[in-house]
Amino acid sequence: DEEDIMRLDKFLSDMNMGTRTELKRDIREGAVQVNGEKITDPGFMVNENDEIIFAFLSVPYFRYEYYMLNKPAGVITATEDRYQKTVLDFFGERRRKDLSPVGRLDKDTVGLLLVTNDGGFHHRLLSPKKHIDKEYYARIDGRVDEADREKFEKGIYVDEIFTALPAKLMIDGYRENALESDFMDLANSRAPKSALENGVSEIRVVVQEGKFHQIKRMFHALGKEVIYLKRIRIGSIVLDPTLEEGTYRRLTAGEVAALEKNGHM
Ligand code: URA
């Protein structure tokens, strides 16, 4: 297992102990010990097995961080953007600079997004061979019926280059009275307001692929439009219902291990 060798100020900033500027000052002022010795050079090289004490507290090193974010609408899945708010903006200034989102949700899609600095995890999770379930809750303009469910089960022809693999569709209900609040990202929505006349179906769908606009395109191919889309599960990881939109929490060790296994508990 390769060892990370890094500057002392980077070690502490990776562990969220402060900004690089603050930490350089703290180190110079003598707040830090390495393996029992006071070190005042912020550029002193350490590794993850060194015993670092900062302000009398031991700071163990975690190479990898894994989070679930409840993504709101109107935010793009990217690491940085000059003009638009990105999902990493929720992690604040002090975040590790190597964090990035796993996969992508559309700007108007909400819900479960995993964020990590473990590049191998991205790769292992997104590999199509893994067949990891992605479950979405959606509202559809008009009535979704049993015939639609059977088409999802058979695999929907979307266009010449994309036929979706068989997917599980669950029809949770239908309401004749659609509300303005049934639509996602109202300000930017391209959703047809005809749902206000046609009523709204609530469904869940489980796919194992992650093609661009996959769920919207599958419904569109059946002549129906998604008006709200929320990812609620990836493999064994269920979106924590206590997480408000725009907030995140660390994955537990158990959640990471279960995903690593094969996406299932
Ligand atoms: N399918 C979509 O259409 N959009 C998403 O963001 C995710 C899945």
Side-chain angles (χ1 to χ4, degrees):
D1 207 0
E2 117 209 14
E3 257 181 17
D4 273 343
I5 301 175
M6 72 198 97
R7 294 170 54 102
L8 182 55
D9 55 359
K10 176 170 192 297
F11 181 109
L12 289 166
S13 106
D14 277 358
M15 293 306 97
N16 271 316
M17 303 310 288
T19 65
R20 286 292 272 275
T21 315
E22 290 163 356
L23 290 164
K24 279 186 178 131
R25 191 195 55 219
D26 294 337
I27 294 166
R28 290 203 184 94
E29 287 176 355
V32 178
Q33 288 184 8
V34 178
N35 302 326
E37 233 185 288
K38 190 197 286 183
I39 300 292
T40 57
D41 172 10
F44 185 81
M45 298 306 275
V46 294
N47 69 51
E48 57 194 74
N49 299 316
D50 286 325
E51 154 92 311
I52 314 287
I53 310 268
F54 175 55
F56 306 108
L57 286 175
S58 173
V59 184
Y61 192 79
F62 297 98
R63 190 189 299 199
Y64 297 127
E65 299 179 3
Y66 306 88
Y67 300 96
M68 68 162 72
L69 170 73
N70 187 358
K71 179 194 172 296
V75 175
I76 61 170
T77 307
T79 50
E80 55 181 354
D81 191 272
R82 194 185 283 258
Y83 304 107
Q84 304 195 66
K85 194 171 166 85
T86 76
V87 291
L88 286 191
D89 290 339
F90 294 106
F91 290 78
E93 275 296 302
R94 285 188 171 193
R95 69 174 179 81
R96 275 172 95 133
K97 298 303 175 260
D98 52 1
L99 284 182
S100 67
V102 182
R104 189 202 309 239
L105 291 177
D106 296 336
K107 185 175 175 186
D108 57 5
T109 302
V110 303
L112 177 60
L113 188 70
L114 300 179
V115 174
T116 180
N117 63 337
D118 179 352
F121 182 82
H122 283 236
H123 190 77
R124 294 190 293 279
L125 208 65
L126 295 183
S127 158
K129 275 184 254 137
K130 281 284 196 163
H131 302 299
I132 290 187
D133 285 351
K134 265 85 63 176
E135 181 168 351
Y136 296 85
Y137 159 84
R139 300 190 194 118
I140 311 296
D141 179 350
R143 198 185 281 276
V144 175
D145 58 21
E146 181 58 22
D148 296 321
R149 201 191 58 71
E150 282 167 14
K151 286 174 193 153
F152 269 76
E153 198 170 74
K154 290 204 180 91
I156 292 171
Y157 174 88
V158 173
D159 59 34
E160 313 82 66
I161 56 168
F162 178 40
T163 296
L165 292 172
K168 189 170 167 194
L169 178 67
M170 292 158 279
I171 303 169
D172 292 333
Y174 169 78
R175 287 182 279 118
E176 267 181 24
N177 298 314
L179 309 166
E180 282 287 342
S181 58
D182 282 334
F183 297 88
M184 55 191 168
D185 198 15
L186 265 184
N188 297 301
S189 185
R190 287 171 295 114
K193 295 294 185 280
S194 66
L196 291 170
E197 287 119 52
N198 299 340
V200 169
S201 297
E202 293 188 282
I203 63 96
R204 278 168 299 139
V205 59
V206 181
V207 295
Q208 297 181 335
E209 304 165 284
K211 293 280 184 347
F212 186 62
H213 295 333
Q214 173 141 359
I215 305 297
K216 293 173 188 168
R217 286 161 72 206
M218 287 170 83
F219 277 100
H220 190 76
L222 303 184
K224 311 218 160 151
E225 300 301 328
V226 172
I227 59 171
Y228 178 95
L229 186 61
K230 176 178 191 171
R231 184 156 63 191
I232 55 177
R233 182 170 66 85
I234 298 174
S236 52
I237 309 295
V238 176
L239 178 64
D240 191 326
T242 65
L243 270 188
E244 306 259 354
E245 282 185 12
T247 66
Y248 61 88
R249 72 155 168 82
R250 272 181 203 276
L251 295 187
T252 64
E255 285 171 332
V256 176
L259 260 187
E260 288 279 10
K261 234 166 129 196
N262 54 12
H264 303 278
M265 288 284 198

